[in-house]
Amino acid sequence: MELHVVSHPLVDHKLTVLRDKNTPSSTFRELVSEIVMLEAYEATRDLLLEDKPIETPVAPMVGKRIAPPRPMIVPILRAGLGMLDGMMKLLPTAEVGFLGMKRDEQTLDIITYANRLPDDLTGRHVFLVDPMLATGGTLVAAIHYLAERGAREITCIDILAAPEGLKRLEQDINPDINVRVVVAAVDDHLNEKAYIVPGLGDAGDRLYGVVD
Ligand code: URA
């Protein structure tokens, strides 16, 4: 697993406003979108290109375009949806799949409650998006779910990560899967409720309001 922490003054500034508990949901959603675009710029660095002959108004030339098959963006519901808009702005030709996974707050087990993904992901570069890499349980389960469908190039884009979650990814992911993790920051630790500290609270609630 390869970790990339995006280091940029714009990311640091936006992240501080995002973390502030007084930031309203509307601003929070905009900031998530902006931060994910800055992260996606780094996360898409390894996309394969092919030649594309074109004619400019002045001369013919051979340009570049993203090589098929089309990349796949997979937000993990619910909080990952908040990152979809920014990802699609940067990668408008990508396809979008959905994976509904959540943590049982009592047992901390991962439950898959929805999926809308192609059966065959062979050769596809998958961008798995979820704002909070906390225990790593959801992400490990999601990565193996995608790998069972043939994905071997998986880039996870998270806003914040906890060291505990990164360690778990390192230990639990099948080494045959090429996993890259792009984050805006690695925080200090997880608290007893598995929240990232200092973190930003419950990302889903801050994006969409609390649902009981
Ligand atoms: N999920 C969240 O939304 N926040 C955390 O701090 C940890 C997991």
Side-chain angles (χ1 to χ4, degrees):
M1 184 200 84
E2 186 191 323
L3 173 67
H4 185 89
V5 184
V6 177
S7 169
H8 194 285
L10 284 178
V11 172
D12 290 348
H13 177 93
K14 289 174 193 294
L15 203 48
T16 302
V17 185
L18 192 77
R19 290 177 187 274
D20 189 331
K21 67 177 183 182
N22 295 314
T23 298
S25 280
S26 53
T27 311
F28 190 94
R29 284 194 293 272
E30 276 169 31
L31 286 165
V32 166
S33 209
E34 290 169 10
I35 292 170
V36 78
M37 278 195 274
L38 293 165
E39 290 191 80
Y41 179 76
E42 284 300 331
T44 49
R45 201 173 274 287
D46 294 339
L47 276 178
L48 296 178
L49 296 174
E50 64 177 11
D51 288 347
K52 164 76 174 151
I54 56 161
E55 284 188 27
T56 77
V58 181
M61 68 164 283
V62 179
K64 299 281 181 198
R65 69 174 172 194
I66 294 168
R70 288 159 72 187
M72 183 102 206
I73 302 169
V74 180
I76 300 181
L77 305 179
R78 140 181 91 131
L81 278 184
M83 299 169 79
L84 184 56
D85 175 58
M87 281 301 293
M88 287 186 73
K89 277 199 181 122
L90 225 64
L91 261 184
T93 56
E95 285 183 341
V96 179
F98 296 92
L99 198 48
M101 289 188 156
K102 65 175 183 180
R103 187 178 55 182
D104 183 308
E105 296 296 337
Q106 305 300 322
T107 63
L108 302 185
D109 285 344
I110 305 303
I111 306 162
T112 304
Y113 64 90
N115 112 66
R116 192 86 174 94
L117 289 169
D119 288 338
D120 186 7
L121 291 170
T122 308
R124 308 286 294 267
H125 194 138
V126 180
F127 293 90
L128 191 53
V129 297
D130 191 14
M132 308 298 273
L133 201 179
T135 63
T138 307
L139 210 53
V140 169
I143 288 166
H144 287 143
Y145 201 91
L146 296 169
E148 277 166 24
R149 283 164 174 71
R152 287 292 174 274
E153 287 289 331
I154 301 175
T155 302
C156 308
I157 307 183
D158 307 275
I159 293 181
L160 296 181
E164 294 90 331
L166 290 169
K167 193 169 166 198
R168 178 147 178 201
L169 252 62
E170 199 74 69
Q171 285 171 352
D172 291 1
I173 293 172
N174 177 339
D176 292 342
I177 314 168
N178 194 0
V179 175
R180 207 163 156 241
V181 178
V182 179
V183 297
V186 178
D187 272 9
D188 197 55
H189 65 281
L190 290 179
N191 69 14
E192 63 293 345
K193 289 187 172 167
Y195 276 86
I196 297 177
V197 181
L200 50 75
D202 187 304
D205 288 354
R206 295 204 60 191
L207 282 161
Y208 303 118
V210 183
V211 179
D212 287 325

